[in-house]
Amino acid sequence: MGGSSSSQQADQSETPTYFTQEELSKLKSEFETGGVEKIKPLLEKKVKELDNTELNIAVTGDSGAGKSTFINAMRGLRKQDEGAAAVGTTETTMEPTGYPHPNLPNVRYWDLPGIGSTRFTAGSYLKKMQLKKYDFFIIVAVNRFTENDAKLAKEIKRLGKEFYFVRSKIDADLDSMRQQQTTFDEDAEMEKIRSDCVSQLGKAGIPDPTVFLISSFKKNMYDFPHLIKSLGAGLPNVKESVFVLALPNLSVEIIRKKGEVLKKRIWMWAIISGGVGAIPVPGLSAACDMGILIAAVIDFRKCLCLNDAALRRLAEKTSKSVEELKAAAQSSLLEEITAQVIVRLRLGAVAVTVSAIEAALYVAPGVGSVFGAGSSFLMTYMILNDALKLLMETAEKVLAVAKGAH
């Protein structure tokens, strides 16, 4: 654990983004009247709510626009992976098809038939697709956006939902242009394509739209990183945190963002772990609820794409074995998580030497100081903080190995 106690205090006193002001006030008053035991049920409810938060993302566009490839890219899957959306098939279904995220099944991408590729009139399409159920919409086109795309965007706006225009397969367009021109300016050509899309949508009644030019095969290029940031920023706080955790590990920046989201849950786990389930563990300076510790570390691994299924998919993608990836990461936290692994890694070891004054700085946001030194709260907080830090470093090492293999 690095950082001074004052910086730790500042870090801990940040308002957690997934509590409403009303919930924070209730936490504070319950804590003041009944202490930690009184707020535990509220926190258990919140943890369950976060685990069960659903996110439904609609991807619409005409057949051949690249919706399936985009849906797979956002879920970190290739077309041959289990659960991948079928690519290159003729669109026959008129029903929305849902594809759950491989690690977080409450996050679903829905493939909606394009408004222009269906038997429906625009009006009956809007009714049939039940637009209210989706959190936001991605409207994908491969060449031109149509009047129907604009009509759909207007209806989505009327419902108070966000929508994003995505122009796909930009790499193929640029390659084709590059072969036809002796001097080629990629940025200038991209701006021409963007201006053309904006102009089409403007004529159809969408003023100043933002259009993202992407390739689903080159997720660190063109507008893909900018699109990901925009999609998250348009969501309410709890759903934004879920969206971030469902992203594939495309960059160090995404891994660190996931770490920030997970870190904001640690104090809740720490408070819940105190009391009834806490038992003395040889090698640790305080009693802990080892079940909660192990469950939290397993959850961190899943969200950071370090669970076995995610590592297996990555190994297939990079032609490396899972063993090679694990060897490069050199982390015991990729083994089966047991009490012995946690003790052996000396996670939270610094808690042994923390003074009572420093311990008082570990606070639950909106509640105030909760425990003295040596408490189950402090020990759990330290262990999970250390484990998260190690797993983030591990995820960054795995990413570097994967990038080196391409």
Side-chain angles (χ1 to χ4, degrees):
M1 295 272 308
S4 66
S5 54
S6 61
S7 68
Q8 288 163 341
Q9 184 179 25
D11 184 41
Q12 279 308 288
S13 58
E14 279 178 15
T15 303
T17 50
Y18 18 67
F19 281 83
T20 62
Q21 210 46 56
E22 192 185 333
E23 286 172 329
L24 282 174
S25 301
K26 189 172 185 192
L27 268 181
K28 196 168 191 298
S29 66
E30 293 286 285
F31 178 72
E32 283 164 359
T33 58
V36 172
E37 289 308 313
K38 197 92 180 272
I39 64 173
K40 270 192 200 174
L42 297 177
L43 295 179
E44 283 165 354
K45 187 180 169 198
K46 177 55 74 173
V47 167
K48 195 173 274 185
E49 184 191 311
L50 290 172
D51 287 342
N52 293 328
T53 298
E54 287 192 3
L55 187 59
N56 290 295
I57 300 162
V59 182
T60 180
D62 289 345
S63 182
K67 290 178 294 176
S68 297
T69 307
F70 175 76
I71 286 170
N72 290 338
M74 290 299 290
R75 296 186 302 146
L77 299 178
R78 298 169 304 159
K79 63 179 180 182
Q80 61 265 49
D81 290 332
E82 188 183 339
V87 173
T89 54
T90 308
E91 190 156 355
T92 52
T93 178
M94 294 295 114
E95 302 291 332
T97 309
Y99 295 97
H101 187 277
N103 287 344
L104 303 170
N106 284 350
V107 177
R108 275 192 176 78
Y109 283 84
W110 292 84
D111 183 347
L112 273 57
I115 194 166
S117 62
T118 67
R119 297 184 299 266
F120 309 118
T121 61
S124 65
Y125 175 91
L126 298 173
K127 199 172 177 184
K128 176 84 175 169
M129 294 302 137
Q130 297 180 310
L131 302 187
K132 281 183 182 170
K133 74 180 266 191
Y134 305 106
D135 291 287
F136 62 86
F137 295 76
I138 297 163
I139 301 170
V140 185
V142 68
N143 291 314
R144 303 179 69 80
F145 288 100
T146 65
E147 208 168 305
N148 276 331
D149 293 327
K151 199 174 280 183
L152 177 59
K154 286 176 194 167
E155 181 61 20
I156 295 165
K157 192 174 182 181
R158 195 184 66 75
L159 292 171
K161 309 263 185 177
E162 294 286 347
F163 58 88
Y164 302 85
F165 290 112
V166 167
R167 168 70 159 73
S168 65
K169 305 185 185 180
I170 193 71
D171 52 336
D173 291 332
L174 293 171
D175 284 345
S176 172
M177 290 174 193
R178 194 177 281 112
Q179 285 166 23
Q180 293 168 41
Q181 299 174 20
T182 44
T183 57
F184 178 75
D185 182 336
E186 185 173 280
D187 290 340
E189 293 299 342
M190 278 184 69
E191 282 318 302
K192 277 187 202 166
I193 294 170
R194 196 189 308 280
S195 297
D196 184 44
C197 291
V198 169
S199 164
Q200 292 159 25
L201 289 164
K203 285 173 190 164
I206 305 287
D208 304 319
T210 302
V211 176
F212 297 91
L213 311 181
I214 70 152
S215 161
S216 295
F217 297 112
K218 296 178 178 175
K219 298 187 283 288
N220 286 312
M221 290 177 68
Y222 314 118
D223 291 342
F224 210 110
H226 180 39
L227 171 64
I228 282 174
K229 276 186 190 166
S230 301
L231 297 178
L235 287 165
N237 287 326
V238 173
K239 296 219 174 197
E240 183 187 0
S241 71
V242 172
F243 176 75
V244 167
L245 294 178
L247 288 172
N249 288 359
L250 301 175
S251 64
V252 168
E253 188 188 359
I254 286 175
I255 291 168
R256 289 181 183 168
K257 232 177 156 181
K258 287 183 179 189
E260 285 166 24
V261 169
L262 293 169
K263 191 167 185 179
K264 286 177 180 164
R265 297 186 181 190
I266 289 179
W267 68 273
M268 291 190 279
W269 285 111
I271 288 178
I272 293 167
S273 85
V276 183
I279 53 166
V281 178
L284 298 182
S285 68
C288 279
D289 185 332
M290 197 50 81
I292 280 181
L293 282 175
I294 290 169
V297 172
I298 289 170
D299 191 55
F300 292 167
R301 280 202 314 201
K302 180 181 71 178
C303 294
L304 288 165
C305 303
L306 293 172
N307 55 333
D308 285 346
L311 288 172
R312 197 163 52 247
R313 283 192 298 272
L314 184 61
E316 286 166 6
K317 207 179 292 183
T318 55
S319 303
K320 287 189 174 290
S321 67
V322 172
E323 287 66 35
E324 281 176 289
L325 290 175
K326 286 187 175 181
Q330 295 178 317
S331 173
S332 300
L333 287 175
L334 296 183
E335 302 170 13
E336 185 188 350
I337 303 298
T338 62
Q340 288 71 29
V341 167
I342 287 166
V343 171
R344 190 169 74 237
L345 284 171
R346 289 186 60 71
L347 295 176
V350 72
V352 178
T353 57
V354 172
S355 72
I357 295 164
E358 285 173 312
L361 295 173
Y362 287 87
V363 293
V367 173
S369 302
V370 285
F371 287 107
S375 71
S376 177
F377 166 79
L378 180 63
M379 178 56 77
T380 305
Y381 179 86
M382 292 295 218
I383 287 174
L384 291 182
N385 210 48
D386 286 1
L388 179 57
K389 194 172 164 218
L390 274 176
L391 285 169
M392 285 169 67
E393 287 166 6
T394 303
E396 288 181 28
K397 283 182 193 169
V398 169
L399 176 66
V401 172
K403 281 188 169 174
H406 282 300

